[in-house]
Amino acid sequence: MTLDARVPAGLLHEKWDNHKFNMKLVSPANKRKYKVIVVGTGLAGASAAASLAELGYQVDSFCFQDSPRRAHSIAAQGGINAAKNYPNDGDSIRRLFYDTIKGGDFRAREENVYRLAQISNSIIDQCVAQGVPFAREYSGYLANRSFGGSQVSRTFYARGQTGQQLLLGAYQALARAIHLKQVTMYPRTEMLDLVVVDGAAKGIIVRDLITGQIRRHAADAVVLATGGYGNAFYLSTNAKGCNVTATYRAYKRGAFFANPCYTQIHPTCIPVSGDYQSKLTLMSESLRNDGRIWVPKQKGDKRPPQEIPEAERDYYLERKYPSYGNLAPRDISSRSAKEVCDEGRGVGETGLGVYLDFADAIKRLGESVIRERYSNLIQMYEKITGENPYKVPMRIYPAVHYTMGGLWVDYNLMSNLPGLYVLGEANFSDHGANRLGASALMQGLADGYFILPYTIGDYLARTKPGVISASHPEFLKIETEVKDQINRLLSINGKRTVDDFHRQIGKLLWDYCGMARNELGLKQALAQIPGIRKEFWSNVKVSGSNESLNQSLEKAGRVADFIDFAELLCLDALQRAESCGGHFRTESQTSEGEAKRDDTKFCYVSAWEYQGADCSPRLNQEPLSFENVHLAERSYK
Amino acid sequence: MDLKLKVWRQKDSASKGKFEIYNAPNINPHMSFLEMLDVINEDLIHANQDPIAFDHDCREGICGACSLTVDGKPHGPEKGTTACQLHMRHFKHGNTITVEPWRAKAFPVIKDLIVDRSAFDRIIESGGYVSVNTGSAPEANMSPVPKHAADSAMDSAACIGCGACVAACPNASGMLFVAAKVSQLALLPQGQVEREKRVLSMVRTMDDENFGNCTNHYECEAACPKEISVGFIAKMNREYLRASLCDSGSAGNTKDAVN
Amino acid sequence: MNWQSILSSSIGRKVVMAVSGLALFGFVIIHMLGNLLIFAGPAALNGYAEKLESLGEILWVARIGLMVMVVLHIWSGLCLARENRQARPLGYLGKKNTRTTFAATTMAISGLLVLAYIIFHLLHFTFRVTHPQISHLLDADGRRDVYTLVVLSFHELPIALAYFVSMILLSLHLSHGFSSALQTLGIANESSLHGYEKMGRLIAAVIFLGYSSIPTACWLGIIKASH
């Protein structure tokens, strides 16, 4: 099936304005008759819930954390992009659009990306008005810094805690709506299934994580803002609770899953130190502004870094990509790090690490400037490793960080299931095959503050409110299925823990579907996954009962979905026999080892359609056409 | 290294809790404290026992979920560090480590080491924001903010809402948390319109949530993983007095404060 | 201004405590300066005492004012202490404090002991019921001989010791109370707080030295009875 993204007609820069005019509106008096469910309270979810509530809709908001303020958007460090062009350095909406399309290796939908760039400026206005304490110049005006994949300074930041500050802004807007009783908040509540009635999304089934109660919630539309699936790899920079369950269950109910193989491996994370490791910690990419990345020229050089003379160091990013240097995009930086480590030139005990060295910047700017710019990041590194980066270069290694893939959505951010909207990292829309730094925050907030509030109205205006209640037979049926799965998990009482299975599936994905992929490896992975699934469902050990707070049970449901999802991820990676962005197929590279796209065969979005537990999913395609940019080989040299 | 853990176990909010002793053999010093608990939990599950429940999420010191009192100190012995960023290299072979939940009437225990911190959410709901609807914001550079004010606002905005301040306070007071948000918004031009209503309303909610009173021990600042200064408490006191003196009698009404 | 809501709020009651505390603190300083006249001899001290008593109604206004401050201070202190105990129904197994001081953690007890001392002190010197045999002497000029009352009282070791210990408690209370009041009133800020804390401890030390010098000097015989 060829998918229609329902992109409005007209010139690129007029599409969104035209569309806003052409969409139907719900009158102010009628808005309160509609109920909207928003799952997730990160940047996209909190901003959407607050904005919808301000418009007058009844909103039910759900998060699995103890408070909406803890969603993982909070951990974003570096910043948020916008085309304000305050530094007067040549930025524009068109340039932000172009950088994002090119950064995504020409695998994103042009119109969505252009709209994102258009909206970017309003986001900064909104956040400043909320009291987000962005960094400022001595003049009192907003400060900007540069970021990977761009040659202009367009990143707004709040020290190394930009995500936290933006999320707290959205959380506070949500708190205000809760106080005004426009939003009903359900914390410590996890969505376990989507209810689709007559083809349209009409509600969700949730579990109260304190009492274990399974509840049905009906609404006129359902918004998923449930984040990415990076934790499928077990070790990632995601929070421990991040999971694919909401989007995967929606996929099983008919929503298409797009481009799951587009996973981003972030180049600057603290290397793994042992088997017990539960997560990886990201060091903001902004460190690459002042840090130089290098490894010894010689294989197996075990000398301490200070003793390696300048002439025997290989600043490989500066060597290979002279114009972008250490600011090369994430996928390229990550792959280069893997290459030098595969050559045996990696550093640290495991040999899986490269140096990020501030010595030159300290010499040039002084330690106090570096401290002012990065002190919280450097402290974090010190706490974890016990090493002092002002004296010894940091050791970094790539880690799974962000997932560009997600549920397929049209221009209105609605999935193929009417009434199901997907925002932020949970959708696939704007980053193509690779996301540029400081663009995730931009997309999450654009979706929640400025796109969904318009587009959902167009759907609701054509829908009669409150027709389906939570006692509809479909709700009861799905509630029973959810309960059955929980009982099944609790009754297996096998020998291996949930974490044990999670580590196993994660390692399999990292080995065969990580930074570099090939047909043979992916086929091996696909051959192994059914066995892991079978063993999980016969040998997993979940302690406790449903009727209480049970973290083991929570994890079990999530890992069961990760195992199923891993198969879809590998299948997509196998099917896409080209390299693009974060998806690198070793069979498809240039003579210099760079990713080689195949625009004749793969210039489309892969949207997978669930066909049942025992059948392969069906591939639907949304062709990508580029009318406003030239489809070029991505070069950062 | 080998360690012993003395951990607070409590089935649910209605049950009485007690300490249990667990052995933690072969602990790698590079592990984080939570990774050490993960290892113990794996063993407990294998032994058909209920694993220790504790809140955690990002494990990089920013989400504010983790909430363990380690050896009598919220988040443990390291300054400016959350429990998830605390590494085992700070403990010695043979140590017995006591792990308790936050203890405060305002934070009832839900299970084991997990407490209910929704009182913090209710305080923010009562006024911890600028009431700006999406779309009504002016151009961002319309109102410049002096750098020192922006920096100071960021210092207070760094709060992660973990509740260590309450846990550490001999009186279980929530003043540092409330002061951080009140100060952030009072320092910025965007927060001026609701400045008086905000502080009166947030302090009233704080008082209603069973927190104790601040008697200036400054244990909150010492325990705060983001090292937020008690200077912000003085600022909030100032804000409160200022608002009370200008108050005509209605601003303290929380409903009025947001409408 | 809404007094009712201020007095029912935690910060409002702390402000009451801080303001009444600072007022009493001011009294303690003035009282000490008056008392130190003892080192200038009987004429100076007895003259000062006579002048105070001659103020008549003004003296009573001041006394009532002080009483009100004492009552407010105790009322707010008891409210806060009760609520603070209720705020943590189940304590820690072994809570380790890092920043607070002995003085700060013992404010309620030092305050109550100082109250007991004040009652005794009033009975001793103001109502003169504890030592009737030396409480009603007159000096050569026919003034009440406060000087001799003080000197003879402090010749008794238990009395001198009781005053000495009470001054330790008072200065302990003030060493926290001074900076604490400035913090509560929002006069302190991030950079000045440490200075105020040091200043509070310094003033408390001066107050201790000033007051305790009197029983010490009397008992050691540095100050002698004039007849």
Side-chain angles (χ1 to χ4, degrees):
Chain A
M1 180 164 95
T2 301
L3 289 163
D4 176 13
R6 287 188 274 265
V7 173
L11 293 169
L12 184 64
H13 65 277
E14 290 171 352
K15 280 178 197 272
W16 179 232
D17 279 345
N18 291 342
H19 191 54
K20 279 197 281 189
F21 179 73
N22 290 327
M23 280 187 289
K24 278 180 183 277
L25 297 171
V26 180
S27 82
N30 285 337
K31 284 198 178 90
R32 79 178 87 92
K33 296 178 186 159
Y34 289 95
K35 175 168 271 189
V36 180
I37 282 172
V38 181
V39 187
T41 57
L43 286 177
S47 60
S51 302
L52 293 176
E54 285 162 12
L55 288 173
Y57 298 110
Q58 297 174 53
V59 178
D60 282 356
S61 172
F62 297 82
C63 69
F64 68 77
Q65 297 90 344
D66 70 321
S67 161
R69 68 178 290 148
R70 304 206 200 283
H72 194 55
S73 304
I74 206 157
Q77 297 168 354
I80 175 165
N81 286 333
K84 287 277 194 189
N85 192 30
Y86 288 153
N88 195 31
D89 59 355
D91 200 8
S92 63
I93 288 171
R94 189 163 183 94
R95 187 173 298 279
L96 174 54
F97 155 71
Y98 181 74
D99 283 352
T100 309
I101 281 276
K102 179 187 169 194
D105 216 354
F106 304 95
R107 286 294 174 263
R109 194 187 290 149
E110 237 183 19
E111 299 81 0
N112 280 54
V113 178
Y114 194 84
R115 176 178 61 187
L116 177 66
Q118 282 177 306
I119 289 171
S120 65
N121 292 342
S122 306
I123 299 171
I124 302 301
D125 298 343
Q126 182 66 25
C127 296
V128 166
Q130 288 171 342
V132 169
F134 281 119
R136 303 221 168 222
E137 306 288 358
Y138 279 101
S139 60
Y141 293 107
L142 291 156
N144 287 111
R145 64 180 169 206
S146 56
F147 233 76
S150 148
Q151 288 174 317
V152 295
S153 292
R154 63 160 74 99
T155 304
F156 294 78
Y157 62 99
R159 295 206 187 130
Q161 290 122 281
T162 318
Q164 178 199 26
Q165 293 311 315
L166 296 178
L167 180 65
L168 293 181
Y171 157 73
Q172 286 161 203
L174 177 63
R176 170 170 165 250
I178 294 168
H179 184 74
L180 296 173
K181 307 215 180 326
Q182 294 163 333
V183 171
T184 310
M185 184 70 225
Y186 297 91
R188 291 199 196 269
T189 304
E190 181 165 22
M191 169 180 162
L192 290 183
D193 220 327
L194 177 75
V195 182
V196 180
V197 180
D198 300 330
K202 287 294 177 191
I204 58 175
I205 306 292
V206 300
R207 178 170 180 269
D208 180 321
L209 298 184
I210 298 177
T211 62
Q213 191 193 16
I214 306 295
R215 286 198 310 258
R216 309 178 297 268
H217 288 267
D220 299 295
V222 176
V223 179
L224 299 186
T226 53
Y229 47 84
N231 270 350
F233 290 80
Y234 186 67
L235 285 181
S236 81
T237 65
N238 285 187
K240 291 298 283 177
C242 294
N243 64 79
V244 74
T245 291
T247 46
Y248 192 76
R249 300 287 172 101
Y251 161 75
K252 283 172 82 171
R253 297 288 168 199
F256 297 165
F257 212 110
N259 299 335
C261 77
Y262 293 163
T263 51
Q264 179 166 80
I265 317 276
H266 196 289
T268 51
C269 301
I270 299 177
V272 177
S273 66
D275 298 334
Y276 50 79
Q277 192 124 2
S278 63
K279 80 152 270 162
L280 296 171
T281 304
L282 176 102
M283 295 277 100
S284 168
E285 184 168 27
S286 61
L287 291 169
R288 291 201 275 146
N289 277 319
D290 287 306
R292 296 180 71 196
I293 293 173
W294 63 277
V295 289
K297 280 189 176 161
Q298 220 181 327
K299 247 189 212 179
D301 189 340
K302 288 285 163 205
R303 286 176 293 176
Q306 305 93 314
E307 287 173 22
I308 301 179
E310 206 56 34
E312 294 174 41
R313 298 177 177 191
D314 179 12
Y315 294 91
Y316 57 87
L317 285 177
E318 297 171 22
R319 172 170 59 78
K320 285 160 67 182
Y321 309 100
S323 67
Y324 279 75
N326 293 301
L327 290 177
R330 292 177 171 175
D331 54 336
I332 289 177
S333 307
S334 295
R335 221 151 37 234
S336 303
K338 179 179 153 59
E339 265 167 37
V340 294
C341 292
D342 288 350
E343 286 165 19
R345 297 195 285 144
V347 301
E349 264 175 52
T350 57
L352 293 175
V354 299
Y355 289 126
L356 176 67
D357 199 339
F358 288 101
D360 284 351
I362 289 173
K363 235 180 272 165
R364 194 174 68 241
L365 305 163
E367 194 177 309
S368 62
V369 174
I370 298 300
R371 196 178 292 278
E372 193 188 326
R373 286 189 189 161
Y374 309 111
S375 64
N376 64 318
L377 299 171
I378 288 175
Q379 262 176 21
M380 185 153 88
Y381 180 85
E382 261 184 301
K383 271 174 204 160
I384 293 172
T385 61
E387 291 172 4
N388 176 1
Y390 297 110
K391 303 269 177 290
V392 192
M394 279 184 179
R395 282 173 299 110
I396 54 165
Y397 197 67
V400 176
H401 176 54
Y402 187 88
T403 55
M404 284 72 68
L407 290 181
W408 183 87
V409 289
D410 63 13
Y411 187 72
N412 297 315
L413 303 183
M414 187 163 84
S415 78
N416 56 304
L417 295 177
L420 179 68
Y421 288 80
V422 192
L423 314 186
E425 192 180 351
N427 75 25
F428 88 106
S429 70
D430 296 357
H431 306 297
N434 174 55
R435 177 176 67 76
L436 290 183
S439 283
L441 304 185
M442 173 171 68
Q443 186 224 337
L445 290 180
D447 289 1
Y449 282 135
F450 295 112
I451 301 174
L452 180 81
Y454 292 93
T455 58
I456 202 168
D458 185 49
Y459 170 76
L460 293 173
R462 289 179 278 113
T463 313
K464 218 170 152 229
V467 177
I468 305 291
S469 84
S471 50
H472 187 280
E474 192 63 18
F475 272 89
L476 301 174
K477 181 181 143 240
I478 296 176
E479 182 191 26
T480 311
E481 287 176 28
V482 166
K483 284 180 175 168
D484 287 349
Q485 162 149 344
I486 288 171
N487 291 335
R488 199 172 148 208
L489 284 168
L490 287 165
S491 65
I492 297 166
N493 199 20
K495 295 219 158 31
R496 290 178 60 193
T497 62
V498 177
D499 278 351
D500 198 15
F501 281 103
H502 197 176
R503 267 190 288 268
Q504 185 185 8
I505 194 76
K507 184 160 187 322
L508 184 82
L509 285 178
W510 181 246
D511 288 346
Y512 294 114
C513 199
M515 270 187 282
R517 301 149 177 187
N518 58 51
E519 187 180 345
L520 189 70
L522 290 165
K523 283 187 169 159
Q524 275 182 25
L526 282 167
Q528 287 180 34
I529 294 169
I532 297 173
R533 175 169 37 233
K534 195 163 166 236
E535 198 194 342
F536 178 87
W537 285 104
S538 58
N539 196 25
V540 73
K541 188 174 181 71
V542 184
S543 62
S545 70
N546 176 55
E547 283 70 34
S548 68
L549 192 148
N550 186 342
Q551 293 174 317
S552 175
L553 176 64
E554 292 165 26
K555 280 196 278 191
R558 295 170 193 166
V559 171
D561 288 331
F562 278 137
I563 294 173
D564 286 352
F565 177 76
E567 205 165 15
L568 185 64
L569 178 52
C570 293
L571 192 67
D572 186 47
L574 179 65
Q575 192 274 332
R576 188 167 286 275
E578 64 159 352
S579 295
C580 57
H583 172 61
F584 187 74
R585 284 284 296 263
T586 53
E587 303 96 325
S588 179
Q589 50 182 311
T590 64
S591 54
E592 288 164 308
E594 300 294 340
K596 198 168 125 198
R597 280 198 329 265
D598 186 346
D599 292 329
T600 52
K601 284 197 199 135
F602 293 102
C603 197
Y604 59 79
V605 175
S606 307
W608 297 92
E609 182 178 358
Y610 186 70
Q611 300 287 306
D614 304 315
C615 311
S616 271
R618 199 170 84 179
L619 177 65
N620 299 300
Q621 296 182 357
E622 179 201 333
L624 291 169
S625 57
F626 294 90
E627 291 158 14
N628 296 278
V629 296
H630 172 60
L631 215 64
E633 184 187 329
R634 204 166 58 129
S635 168
Y636 289 93
K637 288 189 194 264
Chain B
M1 57 185 164
D2 301 336
L3 299 164
K4 263 202 174 69
L5 288 192
K6 194 168 178 185
V7 183
W8 182 260
R9 301 304 308 265
Q10 183 171 335
K11 197 166 157 277
D12 50 40
S13 53
S15 309
K16 263 182 88 171
K18 64 175 194 309
F19 283 99
E20 296 275 359
I21 307 253
Y22 300 100
N23 283 317
N26 296 320
I27 297 300
N28 182 317
H30 293 304
M31 277 181 185
S32 73
F33 200 85
L34 303 191
E35 283 167 348
M36 187 257 316
L37 288 181
D38 289 342
V39 169
I40 292 177
N41 275 345
E42 292 281 284
D43 292 346
L44 287 174
I45 293 171
H46 281 301
N48 284 322
Q49 291 179 44
D50 199 22
I52 302 161
F54 60 95
D55 260 331
H56 64 99
D57 203 21
C58 79
R59 297 204 176 190
E60 51 188 86
I62 193 73
C63 76
C66 58
S67 45
L68 308 176
T69 306
V70 179
D71 279 341
K73 288 187 180 179
H75 291 305
E78 288 297 294
K79 204 168 166 278
T81 306
T82 53
C84 64
Q85 294 280 69
L86 172 66
H87 282 70
M88 298 313 292
R89 65 179 82 92
H90 300 293
F91 297 89
K92 287 197 189 75
H93 174 81
N95 279 172
T96 298
I97 305 172
T98 308
V99 192
E100 296 173 81
W102 288 171
R103 297 220 188 265
K105 191 176 182 190
F107 291 165
V109 172
I110 293 173
K111 184 179 181 183
D112 297 343
L113 303 170
I114 296 181
V115 297
D116 177 358
R117 286 170 286 191
S118 55
F120 272 5
D121 290 318
R122 288 188 290 276
I123 291 172
I124 297 294
E125 284 160 24
S126 71
Y129 39 75
V130 174
S131 297
V132 51
N133 280 356
T134 304
S136 50
E139 149 63 36
N141 258 349
M142 279 276 280
S143 51
V145 182
K147 188 172 188 306
H148 65 87
D151 285 348
S152 187
M154 183 61 220
D155 287 341
S156 56
C159 170
I160 57 174
C162 63
C165 46
V166 176
C169 176
N171 310 330
S173 161
M175 287 281 278
L176 190 60
F177 171 79
V178 185
K181 191 50 70 187
V182 165
S183 301
Q184 179 203 338
L185 297 175
L187 280 160
L188 296 170
Q190 290 79 12
Q192 297 310 306
V193 173
E194 296 165 290
R195 189 171 166 187
E196 290 83 18
K197 286 177 177 181
R198 176 181 307 117
V199 65
L200 294 175
S201 176
M202 288 177 76
V203 168
R204 173 175 291 191
T205 310
M206 172 184 82
D207 288 348
D208 291 343
E209 291 286 349
N210 296 315
F211 290 99
N213 303 291
C214 173
T215 53
N216 305 322
H217 293 283
Y218 313 133
E219 284 297 315
C220 50
E221 179 186 276
C224 175
K226 298 296 151 189
E227 302 180 75
I228 291 173
S229 163
V230 293
F232 291 118
I233 295 183
K235 175 155 180 64
M236 176 163 77
N237 290 336
R238 210 151 55 227
E239 289 292 321
Y240 184 81
L241 283 173
R242 184 179 169 279
S244 299
L245 296 174
C246 319
D247 178 22
S248 57
S250 64
N253 182 315
T254 53
K255 218 167 169 65
D256 191 62
V258 287
N259 280 337
Chain C
M1 189 153 22
N2 186 341
W3 283 109
Q4 209 187 344
S5 72
I6 295 178
L7 289 181
S8 65
S9 81
S10 57
I11 296 181
R13 279 198 303 263
K14 275 151 19 102
V15 167
V16 170
M17 159 149 281
V19 169
S20 58
L22 283 181
L24 294 170
F25 177 82
F27 167 74
V28 163
I29 301 263
I30 293 164
H31 188 42
M32 177 182 77
L33 294 174
N35 287 3
L36 286 175
L37 286 171
I38 198 168
F39 287 100
L45 185 67
N46 292 348
Y48 166 68
E50 188 185 39
K51 194 163 269 167
L52 274 185
E53 288 194 358
S54 72
L55 291 174
E57 281 148 20
I58 300 176
L59 181 68
W60 276 104
V61 171
R63 280 176 169 163
I64 290 167
L66 274 176
M67 276 308 290
V68 170
M69 289 301 148
V70 168
V71 169
L72 286 175
H73 202 66
I74 295 172
W75 167 77
S76 53
L78 290 179
C79 284
L80 295 176
R82 194 189 63 234
E83 286 170 11
N84 290 347
R85 252 204 325 276
Q86 288 167 350
R88 179 166 292 136
L90 185 59
Y92 291 100
L93 184 66
K95 171 76 169 59
K96 287 199 191 82
N97 288 333
T98 39
R99 172 80 158 76
T100 191
T101 56
F102 177 70
T105 49
T106 52
M107 284 302 269
I109 186 83
S110 62
L112 288 172
L113 288 171
V114 167
L115 174 66
Y117 156 75
I118 290 170
I119 293 168
F120 171 76
H121 180 60
L122 288 174
L123 293 175
H124 182 189
F125 284 129
T126 308
F127 301 111
R128 285 168 256 141
V129 295
T130 57
H131 295 69
Q133 67 283 13
I134 53 170
S135 295
H136 303 284
L137 304 172
L138 296 179
D139 70 0
D141 297 329
R143 297 176 296 205
R144 276 214 305 114
D145 194 354
V146 179
Y147 181 89
T148 307
L149 169 62
V150 171
V151 176
L152 293 181
S153 297
F154 289 152
H155 276 173
E156 292 175 42
L157 184 60
I159 299 287
L161 216 54
Y163 272 79
F164 191 86
V165 170
S166 300
M167 287 311 108
I168 294 179
L169 291 168
L170 176 65
S171 49
L172 190 70
H173 196 78
L174 294 179
S175 72
H176 174 70
F178 176 73
S179 61
S180 183
L182 298 184
Q183 166 83 0
T184 298
L185 294 174
I187 294 165
N189 62 36
E190 197 176 340
S191 49
S192 64
L193 178 61
H194 287 274
Y196 288 136
E197 284 186 289
K198 279 195 192 115
M199 197 195 292
R201 283 194 278 272
L202 189 73
I203 297 175
V206 169
I207 287 173
F208 169 71
L209 289 175
Y211 274 112
S212 64
S213 66
I214 299 169
T216 311
C218 292
W219 195 74
L220 291 175
I222 297 167
I223 299 175
K224 292 189 178 69
S226 55
H227 54 109

